[in-house]
Amino acid sequence: MDLRNHSKLWVGAAVFFTAALILACAILPRGLARIAISDIVCALLMFSALLAFAQNGFASKGRFRVFWMLQAAGWGLWLSDQVVWIIWDLVLQKKMPAMHPADILLLVAGVPMLAGLLLRPHLQPSKSTARVGILDFLLLMLWWLYLYVFFIICWQYLSPNQAFYDHNWDWLSVASFLVLASVLAVFWRTSSGAWRTFYARFCAVAAFNGIAFYILNQAIERDVYFTGSWYDIPYAASFAAFTAVALSGRGLSPTDETRSDSAYGSWLATAAMVAVLSLPVMALSALLSSDASPRVERFRIIATLATMFLMALLIFVKHHRLNQELKRTNSVLQEASLTDPLTGVRNRRYLSASIEADISQTLRSYADSNDPRTRDLVFYLIDADNFKEINDRFGHDAGDRVLVEMSRRISSCVRLSDVLVRWGGEEFLIVSRYTDRRDATILAARVLAAVADTPFVLGRPGETIFRTCSIGWAAFPWLTNDPEAIDYEEVLNLADQGLRQAKQSGKNRAVGMAPPHRNAPGPAKLDTLRSSQLPVEILAIAGPTKQSPQ
């Protein structure tokens, strides 16, 4: 049996039970049989709606499942109230009291339904870090329960008053239905396709249920209602309609449209703040009320203060979460500002932010006579050879792939303590920390081999090319006997000179720049020299050669 036929049978069963109730009201005399049929049919139809929504939840995942399950939870509350009615009608065979504790079940049944709708299941979650404010929603729900305590509980227990109880319960009930129907109407107007149809049906049935419930409740307050009366028919029919709505939602999935969490979160936060600011007004109204006894007045003030304390606690938690989110966002933004977006390695801004600490650490190591094998800082400038040829022959996408792969290969050669920086274009910089300048050629040879040994894939299957790179390097401090004589910018310039010499010497090689052992100028003379004037000793090594396929 396919899903469509299964749904038709389910809806048909709900219609059958509704027809049975109509027939019982028309044929049977007022009595226990008629009461039993009405109570049981209403309970079965409520359970049918609950099961239909829950079954959609079991067939879904993630946020979409939560939406369906919250709808089912609302029906669970409604069914619980109906069970209380059945106990009074069929077990105790007494009239349900006008002010019963179970009344709150009907008033809060819409809360989980509204919570599910506010997840906006028809939209995809956004990729931004903005989140729907669950704490703002909790503030609104706490405010809603506070209204029940403020306007109903005091007339139900502290100073029983049927007229005040009925009046306040009516307008809170109507407000609950209006909010739910309004949200559904907004989603109906703003959605499209199958979701628009679903929300239209949901909104129409919710309005029908609200009207039927209001009429039935007015009959109860006028003492003209009895279980099994004609007032039960539209009320029960709305439950059957909810089953049809749930079944019509099978197969729905979020659309490709993305949520605008920032605007939505702002609206929710504003509503929550309005709720918080209303509490002092409510407390003032309790003090100025002329129809409340001192006992009710005191209870309302205590309830207001307790709610204000709980709301303040939620606001504190919210601000703490916002601060943590802000720290995470700032950390992500800072990381992004220090990272090259194409290759994922560090950028020049990172070097500017970190180099002074590296220089200071190196100078301290020399001042403290630390192990010479771990106190040098070596700069390697690396440039891809003949890179323009790749862009001209194969396009810039292929060039980008080569750069990404080259950065990966270079990264595989360095230590965790080293830093790889995209210096610009097809040029990279390695800052090798805590190293020994005497071993500088080892890393240079490793990089030359890593780049040249394996062909680069350009995009299309089988389209590869061998590439090489050129390297220039220099160590800081330039003079080990006077570490502060030449600053690191000049050492970087020397590494750049080495790179130029590597290019001019035929490429695919590394050229190191070092001070000559015998002819180094004294410290006084060095104060006036720049990298272009410094005497140097050139240390060169050649890389491996591979032939690109034609």
Side-chain angles (χ1 to χ4, degrees), residues 1 38 60 64 219 305 329 352 422 472:
M1 182 183 299
S38 178
S60 307
F64 204 38
L305 292 174
T329 302
S352 300
R422 187 178 181 191

Side-chain angles (χ1 to χ4, degrees), residues 378-382 423 427-430 470-475 478 488-502 510-514 531 536:
V378 181
F379 298 104
Y380 299 83
L381 277 171
I382 306 165
W423 200 238
E427 198 169 358
F428 297 89
L429 169 69
I430 296 175
S470 298
I471 303 173
W473 62 266
W478 178 253
Y488 82 90
E489 288 96 341
E490 298 302 329
V491 176
L492 265 175
N493 288 334
L494 286 163
D496 189 55
Q497 290 180 33
L499 177 61
R500 288 201 299 272
Q501 290 206 24
V511 173
M513 311 293 279
S531 59
V536 297

Side-chain angles (χ1 to χ4, degrees), residues 191-459:
S191 58
S192 59
W195 277 104
R196 185 182 179 89
T197 302
F198 173 76
Y199 283 133
R201 293 169 178 169
F202 205 158
C203 183
V205 173
F208 174 52
N209 173 264
I211 293 171
F213 180 74
Y214 179 79
I215 293 173
L216 184 148
N217 195 55
Q218 291 299 306
I220 293 175
E221 293 176 6
R222 295 196 309 270
D223 202 23
V224 297
Y225 170 81
F226 60 90
T227 303
S229 65
W230 289 96
Y231 293 103
D232 287 341
I233 295 175
Y235 190 49
S238 69
F239 304 147
F242 271 115
T243 296
V245 167
L247 294 175
S248 72
R250 287 187 175 185
L252 288 176
S253 60
T255 63
D256 293 334
E257 184 182 357
T258 302
R259 298 185 296 172
S260 175
D261 276 356
S262 57
Y264 181 70
S266 176
W267 172 85
L268 205 59
T270 300
M273 286 301 101
V274 170
V276 171
L277 292 175
S278 71
L279 294 183
V281 178
M282 301 290 289
L284 183 61
S285 69
L287 290 172
L288 300 179
S289 176
S290 59
D291 57 1
S293 65
R295 187 180 181 188
V296 170
E297 180 182 298
R298 185 165 54 253
F299 171 79
R300 285 178 164 179
I301 293 174
I302 292 173
T304 302
L305 292 174
T307 305
M308 291 175 70
F309 173 79
L310 293 175
M311 284 188 166
L313 183 62
L314 286 175
I315 291 172
F316 172 80
V317 174
K318 174 188 173 183
H319 284 175
H320 175 73
R321 178 176 292 182
L322 288 174
N323 287 335
Q324 294 298 112
E325 184 70 26
L326 183 60
K327 288 180 182 178
R328 285 193 293 268
T329 302
N330 288 337
S331 176
V332 170
L333 290 175
Q334 183 179 14
E335 184 70 15
S337 71
L338 302 177
T339 303
D340 175 59
L342 175 64
T343 61
V345 301
R346 297 300 188 180
N347 58 20
R348 298 186 92 169
R349 182 178 295 178
Y350 176 84
L351 183 72
S352 300
S354 63
I355 190 62
E356 291 298 337
D358 293 334
I359 296 299
S360 297
Q361 175 62 36
T362 300
L363 294 177
R364 281 196 301 272
S365 296
Y366 271 86
D368 297 340
S369 299
N370 288 350
D371 187 348
R373 292 173 298 179
T374 60
R375 63 184 182 179
D376 287 327
L377 200 64
V378 181
F379 298 104
Y380 299 83
L381 277 171
I382 306 165
D383 187 70
D385 294 332
N386 303 318
F387 184 76
K388 185 175 182 299
E389 176 188 341
I390 298 176
N391 285 334
D392 292 343
R393 288 180 57 190
F394 303 102
H396 288 278
D397 287 343
D400 287 345
R401 291 190 187 94
V402 169
L403 284 177
V404 171
E405 175 61 16
M406 184 171 289
S407 69
R408 188 195 66 78
R409 295 184 187 184
I410 298 172
S411 295
S412 69
C413 298
V414 302
R415 303 167 303 166
L416 291 177
S417 58
D418 299 337
V419 178
L420 177 60
V421 176
R422 187 178 181 191
W423 200 238
E426 63 271 21
E427 198 169 358
F428 297 89
L429 169 69
I430 296 175
V431 181
S432 186
R433 300 160 161 166
Y434 318 115
T435 190
D436 187 348
R437 67 185 64 208
R438 292 172 296 183
D439 298 330
T441 56
I442 296 175
L443 175 58
R446 197 157 58 229
V447 171
L448 289 173
V451 172
D453 280 351
T454 307
F456 289 83
V457 177
L458 299 179

